[in-house]
Amino acid sequence: MTIAQDRESLLAELGGQNKATIGAVLGTGSIAKASERPDGTMEATIRIPEDAMAWEPGVLIMPHAGILELTIINDDKNTHACLLPSNGDRQFIGLLNHSKGTATLELDGPGCYWYGSPAGNDEGRGLQAAIVVTGEVPPEAKLDRPAQPRP
Amino acid sequence: MTLEYVDAGKAFNHSQLSNLPHSAPDVTRGVNYERILQARSESQNWITYYGDYDGKRHSLLDEINAENVKNLKVAWIFQASATGMIASTSTYAFEACPLVVDGVMFVTGWDGWLWALDAKTGEQLWRYKHAIPIDVTLCCANVNRGCAVANGKVFMVTQNAQLVALDATNGRKVWQKTIGDVRAGESASIAPLVIKDTLITGSAGGEYGVRGHIDCWDLETGEQRWRTYTVPKPGEPGSETWPADGEAWQRGGANHWVTGTYDPELNLYYAGTGNPAPDFDGEVREGDNLYTDSVVALDVDTGEIKWHYQFTPHDLWDYDSTMEMTLFERDGKKLMAHFDKNGYMFVLDRTNGELQHVTPFVDRIDWGVITRDGKVTPRKYPDKEGEPCHFFPGPAGAKEWTHASYNPEHDLFYVPVADVGATATRRRREFKEGMPYWGAAVEVDIDNMAGSVSAFDSHGEEKWRHRLNNMPMAASTLSTAGDVVFAGTPSGEFLALHAETGEKLWSFQCGSGHHSSPSTFTVDGKQHVAVPVGWGGWLEGIVPGMSGQGHGAALIVFAL
């Protein structure tokens, strides 16, 4: 039985392509936070490193709901794509080898969204990642009741 | 040497990679309150959730009738599905009633989808996809019951408790409002209702210990006109039905998650409310727990509760009363009929909430007894910690949210009846925001099931019954002036029954179970019947014995 302290060493065994299993294991990537401009728009960069078949960061944190401007970089020697959530329609971009593009997303919060590369089995190999919107709903949308205990 | 990146450009709408025209005729521009008041008189369309404010789900169309319905054929099919991870992935399904306006159909799906279709051919004209977090709290499925149309716009709520107004010609968002708190466990699944220059919505999340509310929004701007909580605060009328020194009212439930009906003469909106929370542990919320499991009659201009009637006081069985309140007249009296989860049909005077009579409409009821004059006596309920209690009907009720229809010519209600029991074992837990708050372990029976489409007159007398093969009904019925009742079964059959006798006139195997609301319309003078098909929703509660039936998601339209 594994205990919590073993997490890092065990993750190292899982990390990368064609090691412990065929692809990268879901939810084992890095974490980063989007930066925020004075007008509240957020920005961040996501990237596919060479031969990683994974997005870096694996979890991107948005500090609040709103507009996220993404720079999307494919540093891999293969062609991928990116299909991202956004209110209105999902946003698609093709990513040729060694390419760079952008996407503008509108996301409500709080909540956890996923995106991936809808090509081959890119998603199953590891090209699936999360965008986590933190924060609370607007004050006017909260229930009229005293603050409640949370888990 | 640094190699320049290839320019990948800017991400664009995924729907651009399709042959969609991305536009629809401006058919909803002329839909306004005056037209919705007369919705049934334009039966060529289906412009509001129930087809009319009265909730009858009865169309005056009769081209398809009891004589020729046997010749019904598929006119077109629209298919959709879920891809990737979505919230409550296993549960997604159509639960909507398609609206049709002058040849354009508007139908909502799961996970933030709304499609505009050519009602003649099924061609997709445009689509809207709201981004829904995968971790949003849903009880009990990734579903949506439909949209509203008016003044050139389409309106829908989303699973993450947003209300959006879209341009009906292209699906572009006009405005958006946050209408609930997802951290508190609130979500939304109701089809909004346009009344005057406003929209009415309600919240979902009773299983998470939220405080239910009904909201009114300005149709053009989305500004809130009023909010009425369906659980009173201390000191407000009804608060005496909650523990005086406790916190129970703060988590009391009573969510309005199914569209209400409306009487324009009385200016009253009839809203059904959901179960109290915790569902099965009544000891922490002693009292009748108003306005849970009730109909509340709201002044649509102010949100004031003018009267109420509670169908299951101090509910211990999860017997929501959110389902339709059908408005009808008898002997010159303005009445309302309601088929409750608790297994009883109630008829009320809708001017003041005065009970007319109560009648059971399902064979097996052992949770308690309600006399014809409304006296409630509970008999079996989860009482002692850890002690299992089996009861009929189970928590999905003798009729879940799916709607009855009413043919006024025959004075008959066509009721989708479920006869399934369940065992609840009280397991007390402390309240934590966003966590399920049931107060029990619950297991719905997977055998010994029954169900039917049953016809009752307005006095509660059963006139005929079409029995299903050992399974409950889990989809709405549709009544037409052609003396046909349409109803879909969990095993995929779409049935046409004779309105007066229940005789089976026609059926079509749709390939997946039914859990939605069919509607009917004409296009180019030809009557069509539309039924969203697909097996999902809260199957663990409704019919877990058929939860492995296979999924499916298609909208099938029939014509002669």
Side-chain angles (χ1 to χ4, degrees):
Chain A
M1 184 70 183
T2 304
I3 55 172
Q5 289 90 318
D6 297 326
R7 178 177 166 82
E8 290 308 316
S9 57
L10 287 172
L11 277 176
E13 286 181 30
L14 291 177
Q17 294 291 316
N18 223 354
K19 290 184 176 171
T21 181
I22 302 170
V25 176
L26 189 66
T28 55
S30 58
I31 302 181
K33 198 167 191 172
S35 57
E36 189 172 1
R37 296 182 198 147
D39 68 356
T41 304
M42 292 155 279
E43 57 186 17
T45 297
I46 57 173
R47 179 189 303 270
I48 306 171
E50 186 176 337
D51 285 343
M53 295 282 275
W55 296 100
E56 291 293 338
V59 177
L60 174 63
I61 298 172
M62 284 171 63
H64 56 78
I67 304 295
L68 172 68
E69 291 190 355
L70 273 181
T71 299
I72 306 169
I73 296 173
N74 179 13
D75 278 328
D76 197 19
K77 291 175 177 166
N78 288 301
T79 299
H80 303 288
C82 192
L83 187 61
L84 294 138
S86 185
N87 291 338
D89 200 357
R90 293 178 292 196
Q91 298 296 298
F92 177 84
I93 187 169
L95 296 168
L96 296 175
N97 311 22
H98 198 71
S99 63
K100 181 178 176 180
T102 63
T104 301
L105 311 182
E106 180 196 283
L107 296 172
D108 305 329
C112 178
Y113 302 84
W114 72 277
Y115 65 94
S117 169
N121 187 22
D122 278 5
E123 288 157 330
R125 291 288 296 267
L127 276 167
Q128 244 184 129
I131 300 174
V132 177
V133 183
T134 59
E136 300 283 334
V137 298
E140 66 272 18
K142 286 191 165 285
L143 292 170
D144 181 11
R145 65 179 181 180
Q148 301 292 305
R150 287 182 177 172
Chain B
M1 189 181 92
T2 305
L3 200 60
E4 285 292 312
Y5 283 112
V6 174
D7 183 7
K10 186 172 169 57
F12 54 87
N13 286 342
H14 197 215
S15 62
Q16 294 299 323
L17 302 177
S18 71
N19 67 349
L20 267 64
H22 306 288
S23 69
D26 196 9
V27 290
T28 74
R29 180 71 50 194
V31 177
N32 54 23
Y33 179 55
E34 307 308 319
R35 260 179 83 180
I36 300 173
L37 281 171
Q38 304 297 325
R40 182 162 295 108
S41 68
E42 55 171 292
S43 273
Q44 76 275 15
N45 290 324
W46 192 281
I47 61 174
T48 188
Y49 181 66
Y50 291 111
D52 199 289
Y53 279 133
D54 58 20
K56 290 191 176 85
R57 292 190 44 75
H58 175 73
S59 169
L60 300 181
L61 298 180
D62 60 2
E63 183 198 359
I64 299 168
N65 56 49
E67 296 301 313
N68 62 22
V69 69
K70 61 181 182 290
N71 300 320
L72 216 52
K73 300 282 190 301
V74 173
W76 52 264
I77 298 176
F78 169 71
Q79 296 199 50
S81 66
T83 54
M85 287 185 290
I86 64 171
S88 196
T89 308
S90 306
T91 67
Y92 81 89
F94 274 119
E95 283 197 4
C97 181
L99 301 190
V100 178
V101 187
D102 298 333
V104 180
M105 177 180 289
F106 301 93
V107 62
T108 61
W110 47 92
D111 212 49
W113 287 105
L114 192 153
W115 297 277
L117 308 174
D118 183 321
K120 184 177 180 181
T121 64
E123 180 194 6
Q124 192 177 157
L125 300 175
W126 56 255
R127 71 189 192 210
Y128 176 86
K129 171 72 174 81
H130 202 81
I132 307 297
I134 57 173
D135 57 349
V136 68
T137 298
L138 299 174
C139 187
C140 300
N142 193 334
V143 295
N144 179 287
R145 289 184 199 86
C147 55
V149 294
N151 299 350
K153 299 186 194 66
V154 188
F155 307 89
M156 76 162 177
V157 300
T158 70
Q159 287 75 11
N160 63 334
Q162 305 289 322
L163 172 62
V164 294
L166 311 178
D167 183 326
T169 65
N170 54 32
R172 291 194 193 116
K173 192 168 71 181
V174 179
W175 54 257
Q176 176 180 343
K177 289 286 171 184
T178 304
I179 62 172
D181 183 357
V182 290
R183 283 207 185 277
E186 286 196 288
S187 55
S189 55
I190 191 171
L193 189 68
V194 172
I195 299 180
K196 301 181 183 177
D197 60 347
T198 70
L199 274 171
I200 310 278
T201 63
S203 60
E207 271 60 43
Y208 297 89
V210 300
R211 187 178 176 217
H213 51 87
I214 302 163
D215 298 271
C216 182
W217 311 91
D218 185 284
L219 206 51
E220 290 306 310
T221 66
E223 292 306 308
Q224 190 170 47
R225 295 282 186 90
W226 50 257
R227 167 172 286 193
T228 296
Y229 282 96
T230 47
V231 177
K233 274 177 145 172
E236 293 178 347
S239 60
E240 69 281 1
T241 66
W242 292 88
D245 56 351
E247 299 171 333
W249 67 272
Q250 301 166 15
R251 307 146 187 178
N255 293 84
H256 176 52
W257 50 272
V258 175
T259 310
T261 51
Y262 170 62
D263 185 326
E265 290 177 4
L266 299 172
N267 206 38
L268 293 178
Y269 176 76
Y270 302 103
T273 64
N275 59 276
D279 304 51
F280 305 96
D281 185 358
E283 224 171 63
V284 301
R285 49 172 175 81
E286 287 181 352
D288 280 353
N289 307 140
L290 288 175
Y291 300 96
T292 66
D293 295 350
S294 300
V295 54
V296 289
L298 304 182
D299 181 314
V300 291
D301 297 325
T302 64
E304 182 189 353
I305 297 175
K306 292 293 191 181
W307 59 258
H308 73 275
Y309 184 90
Q310 190 174 38
F311 302 106
T312 311
H314 192 65
D315 178 11
L316 300 164
W317 309 267
D318 191 15
Y319 289 156
D320 302 68
S321 301
T322 47
M323 305 69 198
E324 72 285 347
M325 309 290 162
T326 311
L327 313 186
F328 71 105
E329 284 71 42
R330 190 175 68 199
D331 303 329
K333 216 168 180 182
K334 280 176 167 284
L335 301 176
M336 160 196 298
H338 172 69
F339 294 83
D340 199 87
K341 265 186 169 185
N342 67 21
Y344 288 88
M345 170 194 183
F346 295 77
V347 174
L348 307 178
D349 180 332
R350 71 174 186 265
T351 65
N352 56 19
E354 188 178 292
L355 180 69
Q356 306 299 294
H357 47 80
V358 184
T359 319
F361 67 91
V362 67
D363 289 345
R364 293 180 288 190
I365 301 175
D366 65 5
W367 66 269
V369 172
I370 307 180
T371 58
R372 192 156 174 86
D373 61 354
K375 185 169 181 295
V376 181
T377 308
R379 287 193 171 149
K380 295 172 74 178
Y381 47 89
D383 185 22
K384 296 185 176 60
E385 187 74 6
E387 191 172 292
C389 173
H390 185 273
F391 53 89
F392 283 103
K399 175 179 158 296
E400 226 255 345
W401 70 265
T402 55
H403 305 304
S405 53
Y406 176 70
N407 185 325
E409 296 303 314
H410 304 312
D411 183 33
L412 285 179
F413 291 90
Y414 307 107
V415 188
V417 176
D419 191 352
V420 183
T423 300
T425 306
R426 208 193 77 185
R427 299 287 184 190
R428 181 161 297 166
R429 63 151 299 152
E430 60 186 306
F431 175 81
K432 290 177 183 171
E433 195 168 37
M435 301 305 291
Y437 189 47
W438 297 7
V442 183
E443 192 172 31
V444 177
D445 297 351
I446 59 169
D447 51 16
N448 196 16
M449 303 181 290
S452 61
V453 178
S454 299
F456 293 87
D457 71 14
S458 64
H459 297 275
E461 185 177 339
E462 185 170 338
K463 294 296 187 181
W464 56 255
R465 180 186 299 202
H466 176 86
R467 293 178 192 275
L468 304 194
N469 185 21
N470 299 321
M471 60 187 143
M473 270 296 291
S476 303
T477 68
L478 168 69
S479 165
T480 72
D483 272 346
V484 182
V485 178
F486 291 96
T489 72
S491 58
E493 298 287 335
F494 191 46
L495 305 171
L497 307 175
H498 195 293
E500 290 182 285
T501 65
E503 177 193 355
K504 181 174 155 183
L505 303 169
W506 168 88
S507 72
F508 182 86
Q509 173 53 250
C510 293
S512 184
H514 292 250
H515 191 44
S516 295
S517 300
S519 59
T520 186
F521 60 94
T522 65
V523 60
D524 291 346
K526 191 176 176 70
Q527 186 180 356
H528 293 65
V529 177
V531 60
V533 182
W535 195 227
W538 185 42
L539 295 179
E540 65 187 283
I542 299 166
V543 51
M546 294 188 69
S547 57
Q549 185 78 356
H551 219 118
L555 173 71
I556 306 181
V557 175
F558 299 90
L560 291 172

